[in-house]
Amino acid sequence: MITSVFKKSTPLNYSLVVILILVFFFMFQIKDPSWVTSYFLAFQKVSLLCFILASFFMINFIVKKNGLSKDNGYSILFYLLFILFFPTIFNNSNVIYANFFILLALRRLISLQSLKASKEKIFDAAFWIFVASLFQFWSILFIILVYISIIFHVSRDYRNWVLPFIALLAVTILFYMTSLILNIDAIAFIQEKAVIDFRIDYFKNNYENASTFNLHRCSVIFCYFDANDAIKQASNCTFFVQESCSLFFYSRFCLYHFAK
């Protein structure tokens, strides 16, 4: 039944997923209704919902704009399922904000294959990744994908290699100005965010741990076959490019599962 509903991309699919997101979001929030009596907390919950929905439409836009899948609604279905696997993110504002900015960066990186306005796209992607790292510090590891994209598409122009550092400088200046305005200790803020934690009890319950295990297993299988197909299709490329294909898919798996 699910296959019959999402095998074609229709307004019904979008409406169904949006309604389910709203239902599960409010079901999770009513467990602690204290936020209803506070205007600030209510505004925060509404902003979280807006960013979740914005991420939903961003994923759909990236998939449709770049032809990453056929005319179906599986991408938005898996987005919904991923949220339901880890419902505690409904209260984790940092993860939601960082996820949205990472999607903005990935949108620019994927469109880099057109080779149009490549410098603007590299700068934008690096900029949004560094912004995401202000909310979830280890999102900064996604900067590796920027350099992998540069290797794939525009490696001959040395200026492209410098652009991420310019984006870092821009985010640093904006963050420092914001910290001065809001009276935030910038050094303490970074030290609090940049924490290395290898605890295995990060997830809140056995359901989330089981979901993580299944996602790991599926991702390993997917990345293995995906990398093999990419290498086979790159039969006319040099050995260096073939190794880069493997590195890209392996890094995508590592960044997703080990960056916290």
Side-chain angles (χ1 to χ4, degrees):
M1 179 178 178
I2 295 179
T3 304
S4 63
V5 173
F6 288 94
K7 68 179 180 181
K8 291 293 183 181
S9 181
T10 63
L12 175 63
N13 298 342
Y14 303 135
S15 302
L16 180 61
V17 173
V18 169
I19 291 174
L20 289 176
I21 290 176
L22 293 174
V23 169
F24 287 113
F25 178 83
F26 286 108
M27 285 178 60
F28 186 84
Q29 299 301 334
I30 60 177
K31 294 194 301 182
D32 182 17
S34 60
W35 59 272
V36 178
T37 58
S38 172
Y39 289 108
F40 175 77
L41 292 178
F43 174 78
Q44 185 181 41
K45 299 299 182 183
V46 172
S47 67
L48 291 180
L49 179 60
C50 291
F51 270 87
I52 291 174
L53 293 177
S55 299
F56 161 75
F57 288 110
M58 180 61 65
I59 289 175
N60 184 67
F61 174 80
I62 294 173
V63 171
K64 299 302 180 184
K65 182 71 174 180
N66 298 280
L68 301 182
S69 69
K70 296 181 180 180
D71 187 23
N72 56 56
Y74 292 128
S75 58
I76 59 176
L77 172 63
F78 284 116
Y79 174 73
L80 172 65
L81 293 178
F82 187 78
I83 291 178
L84 297 184
F85 277 152
F86 308 99
T88 53
I89 69 169
F90 284 135
N91 276 340
N92 196 330
S93 58
N94 288 330
V95 170
I96 294 175
Y97 297 151
N99 174 72
F100 177 73
F101 292 122
I102 290 297
L103 288 175
L104 290 177
L106 293 179
R107 179 181 71 89
R108 301 297 277 172
L109 288 180
I110 294 174
S111 64
L112 188 62
Q113 60 186 336
S114 66
L115 301 181
K116 296 180 180 178
S118 58
K119 291 180 175 58
E120 290 83 352
K121 292 176 180 178
I122 293 172
F123 176 84
D124 290 347
F127 181 86
W128 292 124
I129 289 173
F130 288 127
V131 171
S133 68
L134 296 177
F135 297 96
Q136 197 76 2
F137 180 79
W138 292 110
S139 298
I140 200 171
L141 293 177
F142 279 92
I143 199 66
I144 298 174
L145 294 183
V146 175
Y147 284 102
I148 292 176
S149 298
I150 293 174
I151 293 174
F152 277 176
H153 303 294
V154 287
S155 59
R156 295 183 179 180
D157 191 344
Y158 72 93
R159 292 173 294 183
N160 294 323
W161 297 88
V162 182
L163 287 173
F165 293 98
I166 299 176
L168 174 61
L169 178 61
V171 173
T172 302
I173 293 174
L174 292 175
F175 172 68
Y176 184 72
M177 292 175 59
T178 304
S179 64
L180 291 177
I181 295 173
L182 300 179
N183 194 24
I184 299 175
D185 188 346
I187 303 300
F189 180 86
I190 297 299
Q191 290 177 342
E192 181 183 355
K193 295 290 184 179
V195 177
I196 299 176
D197 189 354
F198 294 103
R199 290 180 304 169
I200 62 175
D201 59 343
Y202 175 70
F203 298 106
K204 304 301 182 183
N205 51 54
N206 293 331
Y207 174 73
E208 291 189 353
N209 288 324
S211 300
T212 305
F213 174 76
N214 290 328
L215 286 174
H216 283 190
R217 182 171 55 183
C218 293
S219 297
V220 170
I221 296 173
F222 171 78
C223 290
Y224 174 78
F225 288 106
D226 203 7
N228 284 339
D229 291 340
I231 294 175
K232 290 179 181 179
Q233 293 175 3
S235 57
N236 296 326
C237 299
T238 62
F239 174 78
F240 173 75
V241 176
Q242 293 180 11
E243 291 297 318
S244 298
C245 292
S246 300
L247 177 62
F248 173 77
F249 293 107
Y250 177 74
S251 64
R252 182 173 66 179
F253 167 75
C254 291
L255 290 174
Y256 176 77
H257 290 291
F258 296 105
K260 178 180 166 184

